[in-house]
PDB file of all heavy atoms in Angstrom:
ATOM      1  N   PRO A1056     -24.496  41.992  -6.265  1.00  0.00           N
ATOM      2  CA  PRO A1056     -24.950  43.108  -5.423  1.00  0.00           C
ATOM      3  C   PRO A1056     -25.438  42.611  -4.067  1.00  0.00           C
ATOM      4  O   PRO A1056     -25.940  41.495  -3.946  1.00  0.00           O
ATOM      5  CB  PRO A1056     -26.101  43.717  -6.224  1.00  0.00           C
ATOM      6  CG  PRO A1056     -25.960  43.201  -7.596  1.00  0.00           C
ATOM      7  CD  PRO A1056     -25.260  41.892  -7.507  1.00  0.00           C
ATOM      8  N   TYR A1062     -35.476  38.954  -2.008  1.00  0.00           N
ATOM      9  CA  TYR A1062     -36.845  38.450  -2.216  1.00  0.00           C
ATOM     10  C   TYR A1062     -36.887  37.210  -3.081  1.00  0.00           C
ATOM     11  O   TYR A1062     -37.854  36.473  -3.053  1.00  0.00           O
ATOM     12  CB  TYR A1062     -37.700  39.528  -2.876  1.00  0.00           C
ATOM     13  CG  TYR A1062     -37.915  40.748  -2.030  1.00  0.00           C
ATOM     14  CD1 TYR A1062     -37.505  41.987  -2.466  1.00  0.00           C
ATOM     15  CD2 TYR A1062     -38.532  40.649  -0.787  1.00  0.00           C
ATOM     16  CE1 TYR A1062     -37.695  43.112  -1.683  1.00  0.00           C
ATOM     17  CE2 TYR A1062     -38.723  41.761  -0.004  1.00  0.00           C
ATOM     18  CZ  TYR A1062     -38.304  42.992  -0.451  1.00  0.00           C
ATOM     19  OH  TYR A1062     -38.502  44.096   0.316  1.00  0.00           O
ATOM     20  N   ARG A1066     -32.287  41.239  -8.008  1.00  0.00           N
ATOM     21  CA  ARG A1066     -31.789  42.352  -7.210  1.00  0.00           C
ATOM     22  C   ARG A1066     -32.978  43.088  -6.619  1.00  0.00           C
ATOM     23  O   ARG A1066     -33.824  43.595  -7.346  1.00  0.00           O
ATOM     24  CB  ARG A1066     -30.987  43.275  -8.139  1.00  0.00           C
ATOM     25  CG  ARG A1066     -29.970  44.176  -7.499  1.00  0.00           C
ATOM     26  CD  ARG A1066     -29.113  44.795  -8.589  1.00  0.00           C
ATOM     27  NE  ARG A1066     -29.937  45.478  -9.584  1.00  0.00           N
ATOM     28  CZ  ARG A1066     -30.381  46.733  -9.454  1.00  0.00           C
ATOM     29  NH1 ARG A1066     -30.072  47.456  -8.403  1.00  0.00           N
ATOM     30  NH2 ARG A1066     -31.118  47.276 -10.406  1.00  0.00           N
ATOM     31  N   ALA A1074     -40.025  51.536  -9.681  1.00  0.00           N
ATOM     32  CA  ALA A1074     -40.985  52.443  -9.036  1.00  0.00           C
ATOM     33  C   ALA A1074     -40.582  53.902  -9.195  1.00  0.00           C
ATOM     34  O   ALA A1074     -41.416  54.791  -9.016  1.00  0.00           O
ATOM     35  CB  ALA A1074     -41.113  52.094  -7.553  1.00  0.00           C
ATOM     36  N   ASN A1075     -39.332  54.169  -9.549  1.00  0.00           N
ATOM     37  CA  ASN A1075     -38.850  55.547  -9.618  1.00  0.00           C
ATOM     38  C   ASN A1075     -39.079  56.224 -10.956  1.00  0.00           C
ATOM     39  O   ASN A1075     -38.635  57.345 -11.149  1.00  0.00           O
ATOM     40  CB  ASN A1075     -37.350  55.590  -9.300  1.00  0.00           C
ATOM     41  CG  ASN A1075     -37.110  55.520  -7.816  1.00  0.00           C
ATOM     42  OD1 ASN A1075     -38.022  55.749  -7.036  1.00  0.00           O
ATOM     43  ND2 ASN A1075     -35.909  55.180  -7.421  1.00  0.00           N
ATOM     44  N   TYR A1080     -49.036  60.774 -16.761  1.00  0.00           N
ATOM     45  CA  TYR A1080     -50.482  60.980 -16.617  1.00  0.00           C
ATOM     46  C   TYR A1080     -50.810  61.172 -15.135  1.00  0.00           C
ATOM     47  O   TYR A1080     -50.579  60.278 -14.327  1.00  0.00           O
ATOM     48  CB  TYR A1080     -51.259  59.781 -17.172  1.00  0.00           C
ATOM     49  CG  TYR A1080     -51.281  59.714 -18.680  1.00  0.00           C
ATOM     50  CD1 TYR A1080     -50.291  59.023 -19.377  1.00  0.00           C
ATOM     51  CD2 TYR A1080     -52.281  60.350 -19.405  1.00  0.00           C
ATOM     52  CE1 TYR A1080     -50.309  58.966 -20.765  1.00  0.00           C
ATOM     53  CE2 TYR A1080     -52.303  60.300 -20.786  1.00  0.00           C
ATOM     54  CZ  TYR A1080     -51.315  59.609 -21.457  1.00  0.00           C
ATOM     55  OH  TYR A1080     -51.332  59.554 -22.829  1.00  0.00           O
ATOM     56  N   ARG A1083     -57.254  61.409 -13.116  1.00  0.00           N
ATOM     57  CA  ARG A1083     -58.384  62.358 -13.132  1.00  0.00           C
ATOM     58  C   ARG A1083     -58.601  63.028 -11.779  1.00  0.00           C
ATOM     59  O   ARG A1083     -59.090  64.160 -11.708  1.00  0.00           O
ATOM     60  CB  ARG A1083     -59.653  61.649 -13.604  1.00  0.00           C
ATOM     61  CG  ARG A1083     -60.050  60.447 -12.780  1.00  0.00           C
ATOM     62  CD  ARG A1083     -61.026  59.570 -13.528  1.00  0.00           C
ATOM     63  NE  ARG A1083     -60.326  58.677 -14.471  1.00  0.00           N
ATOM     64  CZ  ARG A1083     -60.916  57.781 -15.215  1.00  0.00           C
ATOM     65  NH1 ARG A1083     -62.210  57.642 -15.187  1.00  0.00           N
ATOM     66  NH2 ARG A1083     -60.215  56.987 -16.010  1.00  0.00           N
ATOM     67  N   SER A1109     -57.497  61.336 -21.338  1.00  0.00           N
ATOM     68  CA  SER A1109     -57.790  60.518 -22.500  1.00  0.00           C
ATOM     69  C   SER A1109     -57.881  61.400 -23.749  1.00  0.00           C
ATOM     70  O   SER A1109     -57.424  61.018 -24.823  1.00  0.00           O
ATOM     71  CB  SER A1109     -59.107  59.767 -22.269  1.00  0.00           C
ATOM     72  OG  SER A1109     -59.319  58.809 -23.257  1.00  0.00           O
ATOM     73  N   ARG A1142     -67.343  51.118 -37.111  1.00  0.00           N
ATOM     74  CA  ARG A1142     -66.526  49.960 -37.483  1.00  0.00           C
ATOM     75  C   ARG A1142     -67.281  48.696 -37.086  1.00  0.00           C
ATOM     76  O   ARG A1142     -67.873  48.654 -35.996  1.00  0.00           O
ATOM     77  CB  ARG A1142     -65.186  49.978 -36.743  1.00  0.00           C
ATOM     78  CG  ARG A1142     -64.239  51.102 -37.152  1.00  0.00           C
ATOM     79  CD  ARG A1142     -63.480  50.725 -38.417  1.00  0.00           C
ATOM     80  NE  ARG A1142     -62.575  51.794 -38.826  1.00  0.00           N
ATOM     81  CZ  ARG A1142     -62.875  52.708 -39.746  1.00  0.00           C
ATOM     82  NH1 ARG A1142     -64.064  52.700 -40.329  1.00  0.00           N
ATOM     83  NH2 ARG A1142     -62.002  53.631 -40.091  1.00  0.00           N
ATOM     84  N   SER A1144     -66.265  45.937 -35.944  1.00  0.00           N
ATOM     85  CA  SER A1144     -65.751  45.215 -34.774  1.00  0.00           C
ATOM     86  C   SER A1144     -66.171  45.842 -33.460  1.00  0.00           C
ATOM     87  O   SER A1144     -65.970  45.245 -32.405  1.00  0.00           O
ATOM     88  CB  SER A1144     -64.221  45.157 -34.823  1.00  0.00           C
ATOM     89  OG  SER A1144     -63.776  44.819 -36.110  1.00  0.00           O
TER      90      SER A1144
ATOM     91  N   ARG B 134     -40.102  47.924   1.406  1.00  0.00           N
ATOM     92  CA  ARG B 134     -39.785  48.088   0.000  1.00  0.00           C
ATOM     93  C   ARG B 134     -41.058  48.198  -0.813  1.00  0.00           C
ATOM     94  O   ARG B 134     -42.049  47.621  -0.442  1.00  0.00           O
ATOM     95  CB  ARG B 134     -38.966  46.883  -0.494  1.00  0.00           C
ATOM     96  CG  ARG B 134     -37.687  46.695   0.227  1.00  0.00           C
ATOM     97  CD  ARG B 134     -36.709  47.811  -0.056  1.00  0.00           C
ATOM     98  NE  ARG B 134     -35.432  47.551   0.601  1.00  0.00           N
ATOM     99  CZ  ARG B 134     -34.393  47.022  -0.010  1.00  0.00           C
ATOM    100  NH1 ARG B 134     -34.459  46.716  -1.263  1.00  0.00           N
ATOM    101  NH2 ARG B 134     -33.278  46.807   0.637  1.00  0.00           N
ATOM    102  N   ASP B 137     -38.760  53.864  -1.585  1.00  0.00           N
ATOM    103  CA  ASP B 137     -39.089  55.270  -1.760  1.00  0.00           C
ATOM    104  C   ASP B 137     -40.553  55.501  -2.112  1.00  0.00           C
ATOM    105  O   ASP B 137     -40.913  56.508  -2.674  1.00  0.00           O
ATOM    106  CB  ASP B 137     -38.192  55.885  -2.825  1.00  0.00           C
ATOM    107  CG  ASP B 137     -37.850  54.876  -3.868  1.00  0.00           C
ATOM    108  OD1 ASP B 137     -38.625  53.909  -3.983  1.00  0.00           O
ATOM    109  OD2 ASP B 137     -36.831  55.018  -4.543  1.00  0.00           O
ATOM    110  N   GLU B 170     -46.619  57.367 -21.474  1.00  0.00           N
ATOM    111  CA  GLU B 170     -46.287  57.245 -20.054  1.00  0.00           C
ATOM    112  C   GLU B 170     -44.914  56.611 -19.854  1.00  0.00           C
ATOM    113  O   GLU B 170     -44.139  57.039 -19.010  1.00  0.00           O
ATOM    114  CB  GLU B 170     -47.349  56.396 -19.343  1.00  0.00           C
ATOM    115  CG  GLU B 170     -47.061  56.100 -17.887  1.00  0.00           C
ATOM    116  CD  GLU B 170     -47.226  57.311 -16.982  1.00  0.00           C
ATOM    117  OE1 GLU B 170     -48.112  58.138 -17.260  1.00  0.00           O
ATOM    118  OE2 GLU B 170     -46.464  57.445 -16.015  1.00  0.00           O
ATOM    119  N   PHE B 209     -58.146  51.527 -35.842  1.00  0.00           N
ATOM    120  CA  PHE B 209     -58.235  50.534 -36.909  1.00  0.00           C
ATOM    121  C   PHE B 209     -58.889  51.117 -38.156  1.00  0.00           C
ATOM    122  O   PHE B 209     -59.869  51.857 -38.045  1.00  0.00           O
ATOM    123  CB  PHE B 209     -59.050  49.328 -36.438  1.00  0.00           C
ATOM    124  CG  PHE B 209     -58.295  48.437 -35.511  1.00  0.00           C
ATOM    125  CD1 PHE B 209     -58.274  48.698 -34.147  1.00  0.00           C
ATOM    126  CD2 PHE B 209     -57.573  47.358 -35.992  1.00  0.00           C
ATOM    127  CE1 PHE B 209     -57.564  47.889 -33.282  1.00  0.00           C
ATOM    128  CE2 PHE B 209     -56.856  46.548 -35.132  1.00  0.00           C
ATOM    129  CZ  PHE B 209     -56.855  46.814 -33.775  1.00  0.00           C
ATOM    130  N   THR B 221     -66.665  39.706 -35.595  1.00  0.00           N
ATOM    131  CA  THR B 221     -65.437  40.478 -35.401  1.00  0.00           C
ATOM    132  C   THR B 221     -65.479  41.253 -34.093  1.00  0.00           C
ATOM    133  O   THR B 221     -66.536  41.656 -33.623  1.00  0.00           O
ATOM    134  CB  THR B 221     -65.199  41.417 -36.607  1.00  0.00           C
ATOM    135  OG1 THR B 221     -64.103  42.287 -36.304  1.00  0.00           O
ATOM    136  CG2 THR B 221     -66.420  42.273 -36.914  1.00  0.00           C
ATOM    137  N   ASP B 256     -35.192  44.041 -14.622  1.00  0.00           N
ATOM    138  CA  ASP B 256     -34.066  44.803 -14.072  1.00  0.00           C
ATOM    139  C   ASP B 256     -33.159  45.152 -15.248  1.00  0.00           C
ATOM    140  O   ASP B 256     -32.372  44.331 -15.699  1.00  0.00           O
ATOM    141  CB  ASP B 256     -33.332  43.943 -13.033  1.00  0.00           C
ATOM    142  CG  ASP B 256     -32.168  44.702 -12.390  1.00  0.00           C
ATOM    143  OD1 ASP B 256     -31.841  45.801 -12.865  1.00  0.00           O
ATOM    144  OD2 ASP B 256     -31.607  44.180 -11.417  1.00  0.00           O
ATOM    145  N   TYR B 259     -29.454  44.691 -15.244  1.00  0.00           N
ATOM    146  CA  TYR B 259     -28.964  43.324 -15.159  1.00  0.00           C
ATOM    147  C   TYR B 259     -29.154  42.553 -16.462  1.00  0.00           C
ATOM    148  O   TYR B 259     -28.517  41.539 -16.677  1.00  0.00           O
ATOM    149  CB  TYR B 259     -29.703  42.602 -14.025  1.00  0.00           C
ATOM    150  CG  TYR B 259     -28.781  42.095 -12.939  1.00  0.00           C
ATOM    151  CD1 TYR B 259     -27.989  42.977 -12.219  1.00  0.00           C
ATOM    152  CD2 TYR B 259     -28.697  40.741 -12.643  1.00  0.00           C
ATOM    153  CE1 TYR B 259     -27.144  42.529 -11.239  1.00  0.00           C
ATOM    154  CE2 TYR B 259     -27.852  40.284 -11.653  1.00  0.00           C
ATOM    155  CZ  TYR B 259     -27.074  41.184 -10.950  1.00  0.00           C
ATOM    156  OH  TYR B 259     -26.234  40.733  -9.978  1.00  0.00           O
ATOM    157  N   ARG B 293     -46.570  53.922 -11.117  1.00  0.00           N
ATOM    158  CA  ARG B 293     -47.854  54.555 -10.825  1.00  0.00           C
ATOM    159  C   ARG B 293     -48.606  53.783  -9.739  1.00  0.00           C
ATOM    160  O   ARG B 293     -49.129  54.375  -8.790  1.00  0.00           O
ATOM    161  CB  ARG B 293     -48.723  54.608 -12.085  1.00  0.00           C
ATOM    162  CG  ARG B 293     -48.144  55.449 -13.218  1.00  0.00           C
ATOM    163  CD  ARG B 293     -48.994  55.346 -14.466  1.00  0.00           C
ATOM    164  NE  ARG B 293     -50.351  55.801 -14.230  1.00  0.00           N
ATOM    165  CZ  ARG B 293     -50.722  57.082 -14.313  1.00  0.00           C
ATOM    166  NH1 ARG B 293     -49.861  57.986 -14.665  1.00  0.00           N
ATOM    167  NH2 ARG B 293     -51.966  57.432 -14.065  1.00  0.00           N
ATOM    168  N   LYS B 296     -47.874  54.288  -6.222  1.00  0.00           N
ATOM    169  CA  LYS B 296     -48.157  55.613  -5.677  1.00  0.00           C
ATOM    170  C   LYS B 296     -49.663  55.892  -5.670  1.00  0.00           C
ATOM    171  O   LYS B 296     -50.095  57.045  -5.624  1.00  0.00           O
ATOM    172  CB  LYS B 296     -47.430  56.675  -6.500  1.00  0.00           C
ATOM    173  CG  LYS B 296     -45.917  56.533  -6.394  1.00  0.00           C
ATOM    174  CD  LYS B 296     -45.188  57.573  -7.203  1.00  0.00           C
ATOM    175  CE  LYS B 296     -43.695  57.348  -7.170  1.00  0.00           C
ATOM    176  NZ  LYS B 296     -43.267  56.192  -7.979  1.00  0.00           N
ATOM    177  N   VAL B 305     -56.607  56.084 -19.292  1.00  0.00           N
ATOM    178  CA  VAL B 305     -57.093  56.761 -20.497  1.00  0.00           C
ATOM    179  C   VAL B 305     -58.154  55.966 -21.251  1.00  0.00           C
ATOM    180  O   VAL B 305     -58.781  56.519 -22.147  1.00  0.00           O
ATOM    181  CB  VAL B 305     -55.925  57.095 -21.463  1.00  0.00           C
ATOM    182  CG1 VAL B 305     -54.933  58.028 -20.797  1.00  0.00           C
ATOM    183  CG2 VAL B 305     -55.246  55.850 -21.973  1.00  0.00           C
TER     184      VAL B 305
END
Side-chain angles (χ1 to χ4, degrees):
Chain A
Y1062 295 120
R1066 202 169 55 84
N1075 280 343
Y1080 286 90
R1083 57 198 82 178
S1109 190
R1142 292 278 180 263
S1144 315
Chain B
R134 300 293 184 98
D137 33 23
E170 175 72 34
F209 284 86
T221 172
D256 182 351
Y259 240 60
R293 297 175 60 85
K296 296 180 184 73
V305 299

